[in-house]
Amino acid sequence: MYNILACDDEQIAIDSLKFIFEKNFQGQVNLFTSLSGFEALNIVKNNNIDIIFMDINMPGMNGLETISLIKTMKPDTLIIMLSAFDTFQYAQEALNLGAFRYITKPVNRNTIIQTARSAMNAVDNNRGNAQNSEEIQKKLESVLPMVESDFFYSCAFSTENEDLTPYLEYFDIQEKNYIFTALELPEQTEESRRELILKIRQTASETQRCIMGSFMSNRVILLFIFDKEGFFLEKARETLTSLHTLFTIKINRKIKTGVSLVCSKEIQFKDFYTQAVNALNRTTENQSLVFFEDIKATVDNSRNDKNILDRLIKRLKSGDAEGVQFLTNLYLKNLEENIPESDRWKFMILEFLVNIKSEAEKSCDDFDDSLFQNAFSVISKSNSISENALFINQCITEAVIAFSKNSKAFENPVIKKVCNYINLHLSTDFSLDDAAQEAGVSSFYLSKLFREEMNDTFVNYVTNLKMEKAAHLLCETDMSIKEITAATGYNDQNYFSRIFKNKYDMSPSEFRKSGIK
């Protein structure tokens, strides 16, 4: 008996597949159906699905996104993609994600029957291989946990001269990339802990080769091994991010996870083990997954803070109240996540407000700084960064009002007209030539004038506005990344994602998961 799932947002397509299976595979197939990617995920999670017929173009979570998650959860599931688009790009992406076949619509009955039979034969082969290795696996399972625990103990407390090579030889590991990951689970009983260990080990090993230690209190360390050939850090991050989500789904509990940098030498294991633990210690209720790479990138926050401040001033000058609020909240979130010392974050908030006040006084006539004058008194008495959010946003709002009233921001009527044009056309694909034509000047003249008046290039200014609009849509709406790509005037989702990552150091999906607002 084969468990088959048919997933398509059109009921008529579901009915057609159901008819074909009932007529040609009577007594051989147990058929499940779903009308969306989310529904398909739930079915796969709760049932042992062998084969899936999946439509690519569905609203919400599309077919490619769905199979990516399914392959992470259950890599042995065979997936046949169905698409009305006969394009190499779709087919290549589907096959790269692990699809068994790619079939273009409309699909005739014989194609479905032949493809289903091929998939069933593949399922039979997989079942046979699994049975042959079961006995060997049972023998290894009794010894393996003890060796793994001893290995992690040596990683944590090793001396400079201690040789970890025998462990790597035992695990048959040679010239690999290693990433340590530390997990923390809520307190549990001894009985439930054993069950959690099995679930975590099974989930991790199904996705990526790894070594897992034993629980110490409510924490456990895993070492993930990535081949050097074809290794991409971004792909490794995606794998570990998906695993973090899978762990949470599988055990139905909130898990906190810390991830080290990439290690390539066993003599560095102790340092990278510590990195994973330090990253875990930086997790919060709102951010349950922390990469040490991100902590390292924000140890010197002055560079990031200056970048945010520069962008915020530009948004102030353009009168973009929404962009200013977003950047202010981004700045506060960065402080909350990376600066635990109260004396330090209080000083940095005061410095931030002083810079805004100074810029407003320099650029705006008759600026009312009465709120800013109370900043020291208000912030010095607070116990947390979140307590200051309302007051800080009130101060920033005063600055926005001052800049919007002041004519200095748009002294030149050409720049004013161009900025209005940009704000009205953020959802379209326009160029410097289009804006110059709207303003009635040459492209060369506009490019030079724009840089002089706005202290930025035309392209950078437009890109920043589009990216900040995208960030707002990711946080405040349920629009898909494809829809947000179109809403910000881009035709290519991959190109949009690269531009977004260059600006925010994370992909659109990672940004949405991070909860930055």
Side-chain angles (χ1 to χ4, degrees):
M1 182 69 74
Y2 305 92
N3 290 333
I4 296 180
L5 168 62
C7 179
D8 199 300
D9 63 322
E10 296 182 358
Q11 185 62 50
I12 189 171
I14 296 288
D15 293 340
S16 297
L17 288 171
K18 187 176 181 180
F19 174 80
I20 292 172
F21 284 120
E22 287 178 349
K23 187 171 182 180
N24 296 276
F25 299 97
Q26 190 173 15
Q28 301 177 56
V29 170
N30 184 21
L31 186 65
F32 298 79
T33 63
S34 67
L35 295 170
S36 70
F38 290 108
E39 190 179 352
L41 281 178
N42 285 329
I43 292 174
V44 172
K45 175 186 171 184
N46 296 314
N47 299 275
N48 187 23
I49 301 298
D50 300 306
I51 303 167
I52 301 176
F53 284 78
M54 175 75 67
D55 182 32
I56 282 187
N57 190 23
M58 295 186 294
M61 182 184 293
N62 64 38
L64 293 174
E65 293 169 334
T66 304
I67 69 166
S68 176
L69 290 173
I70 289 174
K71 276 295 183 181
T72 304
M73 284 195 307
K74 298 188 178 181
D76 291 336
T77 304
L78 299 182
I79 301 175
I80 295 99
M81 300 303 301
L82 305 174
S83 174
F85 303 102
D86 186 13
T87 63
F88 174 75
Q89 180 183 354
Y90 274 124
Q92 184 183 44
E93 188 169 356
L95 295 174
N96 286 341
L97 288 171
F100 179 71
R101 293 283 190 278
Y102 183 91
I103 303 174
T104 55
K105 295 180 178 179
V107 183
N108 64 51
R109 181 174 62 87
N110 289 333
T111 300
I112 293 292
I113 293 171
Q114 291 171 6
T115 304
R117 283 177 177 158
S118 296
M120 289 173 182
N121 289 335
V123 170
D124 290 339
N125 289 334
N126 289 341
R127 288 173 178 173
N129 292 334
Q131 186 174 359
N132 291 335
S133 63
E134 187 175 349
E135 289 301 319
I136 298 175
Q137 186 64 32
K138 284 181 180 179
K139 294 178 181 178
L140 288 175
E141 284 177 355
S142 61
V143 178
L144 184 61
M146 291 185 290
V147 180
E148 288 178 327
S149 295
D150 194 42
F151 165 71
F152 282 109
Y153 182 87
S154 297
C155 289
F157 303 104
S158 63
T159 63
E160 290 185 5
N161 298 323
E162 185 167 354
D163 185 12
L164 298 176
T165 304
Y167 290 106
L168 302 184
E169 292 176 351
Y170 176 85
F171 297 124
D172 191 24
I173 299 172
Q174 296 176 351
E175 297 182 357
K176 309 286 184 179
N177 288 308
Y178 313 101
I179 298 179
F180 283 88
T181 299
L183 302 183
E184 180 179 286
L185 295 91
E187 293 292 341
Q188 65 272 173
T189 64
E190 190 65 33
E191 184 177 348
S192 62
R193 182 179 298 173
R194 286 196 294 271
E195 183 181 350
L196 292 179
I197 290 173
L198 291 175
K199 286 185 177 180
I200 290 174
R201 182 184 290 276
Q202 181 181 8
T203 303
S205 60
E206 286 176 351
T207 304
Q208 184 67 40
R209 188 181 178 191
C210 72
I211 303 169
M212 178 177 169
S214 57
F215 266 83
M216 294 178 286
S217 183
N218 62 334
R219 291 185 171 190
V220 64
I221 305 290
L222 296 93
L223 178 68
F224 288 95
I225 301 105
F226 294 85
D227 290 332
K228 278 191 176 296
E229 185 177 350
F231 176 81
F232 294 98
L233 181 58
E234 183 177 348
K235 185 65 177 177
R237 283 185 65 125
E238 288 178 4
T239 298
L240 296 175
T241 300
S242 298
L243 262 175
H244 171 75
T245 303
L246 278 173
F247 288 149
T248 304
I249 293 172
K250 284 282 183 105
I251 72 170
N252 199 25
R253 294 168 183 254
K254 189 164 187 177
I255 293 180
K256 293 181 178 180
T257 305
V259 182
S260 76
L261 296 174
V262 181
C263 176
S264 57
K265 298 178 180 179
E266 61 271 14
I267 60 173
Q268 300 173 314
F269 277 178
K270 182 176 181 179
D271 292 338
F272 285 77
Y273 179 104
T274 304
Q275 287 178 7
V277 174
N278 288 341
L280 177 60
N281 291 337
R282 300 295 288 271
T283 58
T284 64
E285 288 301 316
N286 295 326
Q287 186 177 12
S288 57
L289 172 64
V290 172
F291 288 84
F292 189 82
E293 176 188 13
D294 300 333
I295 298 174
K296 185 174 182 298
T298 55
V299 167
D300 182 7
N301 285 285
S302 59
R303 185 180 302 172
N304 286 336
D305 295 338
K306 186 178 184 304
N307 177 265
I308 292 175
L309 180 64
D310 289 344
R311 287 159 55 196
L312 192 147
I313 299 254
K314 289 177 183 178
R315 300 280 69 77
L316 275 172
K317 289 182 176 181
S318 69
D320 179 10
E322 187 177 274
V324 168
Q325 183 182 30
F326 168 79
L327 290 169
T328 300
N329 291 335
L330 176 61
Y331 175 81
L332 295 178
K333 182 175 178 63
N334 283 347
L335 286 187
E336 193 167 31
E337 292 179 353
N338 298 296
I339 311 295
E341 304 88 356
S342 62
D343 289 344
R344 191 176 170 200
W345 61 251
K346 286 178 182 180
F347 172 80
M348 295 181 73
I349 289 175
L350 286 169
E351 186 180 36
F352 179 76
L353 291 177
V354 166
N355 283 324
I356 298 296
K357 175 178 176 288
S358 174
E359 191 66 34
E361 289 175 336
K362 181 172 62 177
S363 304
C364 303
D365 300 327
D366 302 323
F367 172 64
D368 181 6
D369 66 350
S370 56
L371 266 177
F372 287 83
Q373 291 178 7
N374 296 326
F376 180 81
S377 174
V378 172
I379 292 170
S380 62
K381 295 176 182 177
S382 61
N383 297 314
S384 68
I385 293 175
S386 58
E387 286 182 19
N388 297 293
L390 178 60
F391 173 77
I392 294 169
N393 276 291
Q394 287 174 339
C395 291
I396 299 299
T397 299
E398 288 296 324
V400 171
I401 293 171
F403 272 101
S404 63
K405 288 181 178 178
N406 193 271
S407 60
K408 289 183 180 178
F410 294 119
E411 282 182 352
N412 192 300
V414 172
I415 297 301
K416 182 175 181 178
K417 190 171 186 178
V418 168
C419 286
N420 287 336
Y421 175 84
I422 291 171
N423 288 328
L424 289 172
H425 292 81
L426 281 179
S427 61
T428 64
D429 183 13
F430 62 89
S431 65
L432 175 66
D433 291 338
D434 296 326
Q437 184 176 354
E438 173 71 15
V441 297
S442 71
S443 301
F444 176 79
Y445 174 75
L446 176 59
S447 176
K448 183 174 181 296
L449 182 65
F450 198 93
R451 181 186 287 273
E452 291 174 352
E453 293 289 326
M454 302 300 291
N455 195 30
D456 200 359
T457 66
F458 177 86
V459 172
N460 284 344
Y461 181 85
V462 171
T463 301
N464 282 332
L465 279 181
K466 285 177 176 284
M467 291 300 101
E468 283 163 15
K469 177 180 179 180
H472 173 75
L473 294 175
L474 285 166
C475 294
E476 303 296 340
T477 73
D478 294 327
M479 293 172 65
S480 67
I481 294 174
K482 182 178 181 181
E483 291 170 332
I484 293 174
T485 300
T488 49
Y490 292 95
N491 298 318
D492 186 334
Q493 184 174 325
N494 291 329
Y495 176 72
F496 162 79
S497 296
R498 285 198 300 273
I499 297 295
F500 189 94
K501 185 159 189 177
N502 285 339
K503 183 176 178 65
Y504 293 108
D505 294 326
M506 61 180 80
S507 68
S509 58
E510 289 172 337
F511 188 91
R512 171 168 274 169
K513 289 177 183 177
S514 74
I516 296 176
K517 295 187 178 180

